[in-house]
Amino acid sequence: MSENSSGGPMRWDEHARGGAGGWVRASDGRTGPPDEPASDPDPDPDSGRRTVPKKYVLLAVGGGLAVAAVVLVVAHAVRPSAPEAAHSAGPSSSSSPSVALSGSTETAPQPSGPPTASAEEQATAVDELLERSESDRQQVIDAVNAVEACASDGTVAAAGQALNEAAVRREGLITDLAALDVGELASGSLAAGSLRTGWQHSADADRAFADWADDAQGCSPGAVPRTSSYRRGVRSSELATGAKEEFLAHWTPIAASYGLPERDTAEL
């Protein structure tokens, strides 16, 4: 059959006529050799665009994935760790300690101490201690005279006991003086310091004379030895007199201001 016969071009199909082969009408309009496979027609002949090969498409996709992976690695390397991020962020406003409002709490009232004595009351308290000291002084004088007389061993022993008791009372005066407040008195602290020193030397003298009484046991009247204890007692008495004179220099103006009796070293 001729290819120019009506109905369009013909092509040889080996499978036609039950496998015997034969000419059949071509359906795709090609006029090439019958045994050449027909290529697909251009899907869009009017578009004018070129088709990109698939291998280039795959390369482009693979390159994009590689770039994305590099970006993720770099971002992970420069990202601060959780403790650093928390440190750089600083304390949040919710964790900031709240500031107590002024006046929101009231301080419990503190118990006040005893009221401060007036200057006159303080001066009167010191004068009462001076009265006690004067009575002790006379007992010390009597005890020393008893040892000097050496009337008997009994009287000498009793004198020594009296002297030890006088020393204890002097120390009691020192303790009571330290408990007094003299802050309202002019030169009150200086006067109290000198009086305390004088009384301490007097207590030392009392104990030294008590030791002398022990040394004088077995003595004869008018022949009492002047031992080292006696000399120590005399020295302490001299120091006591010097401190008491210093006290009177501060005390006399105070006593005059509040109508208290004037005193001298013999009375102290």
Side-chain angles (χ1 to χ4, degrees):
M1 181 179 293
S2 174
E3 291 180 4
N4 295 327
S5 61
S6 61
M10 301 296 290
R11 67 180 181 84
W12 177 261
D13 187 356
E14 60 183 359
H15 297 290
R17 298 175 62 186
W23 292 94
V24 295
R25 191 180 304 281
S27 61
D28 53 358
R30 286 192 60 192
T31 59
D35 56 346
E36 182 180 355
S39 62
D40 293 333
D42 189 351
D44 190 3
D46 298 329
S47 64
R49 293 181 298 176
R50 299 178 63 184
T51 302
V52 179
K54 291 183 179 181
K55 64 179 180 178
Y56 296 114
V57 174
L58 293 177
L59 288 174
V61 173
L65 292 177
V67 172
V70 171
V71 171
L72 289 176
V73 170
V74 173
H76 180 75
V78 301
R79 183 179 61 186
S81 61
E84 293 176 350
H87 178 72
S88 62
S92 63
S93 59
S94 61
S95 62
S96 301
S98 59
V99 179
L101 297 178
S102 176
S104 60
T105 59
E106 296 182 359
T107 303
Q110 299 295 326
S112 59
T116 303
S118 65
E120 182 176 3
E121 292 172 337
Q122 292 177 3
T124 300
V126 173
D127 186 71
E128 290 175 355
L129 294 182
L130 298 178
E131 288 285 348
R132 286 168 51 187
S133 176
E134 184 176 357
S135 63
D136 288 336
R137 173 182 178 274
Q138 188 58 51
Q139 293 181 17
V140 169
I141 293 174
D142 293 341
V144 171
N145 289 335
V147 176
E148 184 73 32
C150 189
S152 65
D153 289 344
T155 57
V156 172
Q161 179 68 25
L163 288 166
N164 280 321
E165 292 174 355
V168 173
R169 288 193 297 270
R170 303 268 198 190
E171 292 167 349
L173 288 170
I174 294 172
T175 300
D176 293 343
L177 177 62
L180 293 182
D181 181 8
V182 294
E184 298 297 321
L185 299 176
S187 301
S189 60
L190 295 175
S194 299
L195 182 58
R196 180 169 53 251
T197 300
W199 279 339
Q200 185 60 62
H201 286 309
S202 292
D204 293 342
D206 296 339
R207 295 193 186 280
F209 286 131
D211 293 340
W212 175 55
D214 292 339
D215 297 340
Q217 289 294 325
C219 61
S220 300
V224 179
R226 298 292 193 264
T227 63
S228 61
S229 298
Y230 175 85
R231 292 191 297 270
R232 190 172 69 251
V234 171
R235 178 56 181 164
S236 294
S237 295
E238 292 173 351
L239 293 174
T241 299
K244 291 172 184 178
E245 288 175 349
E246 184 178 346
F247 162 73
L248 288 174
H250 299 298
W251 175 252
T252 299
I254 296 174
S257 299
Y258 301 104
L260 299 173
E262 185 177 345
R263 301 181 185 277
D264 57 27
T265 56
E267 295 173 325
L268 299 180

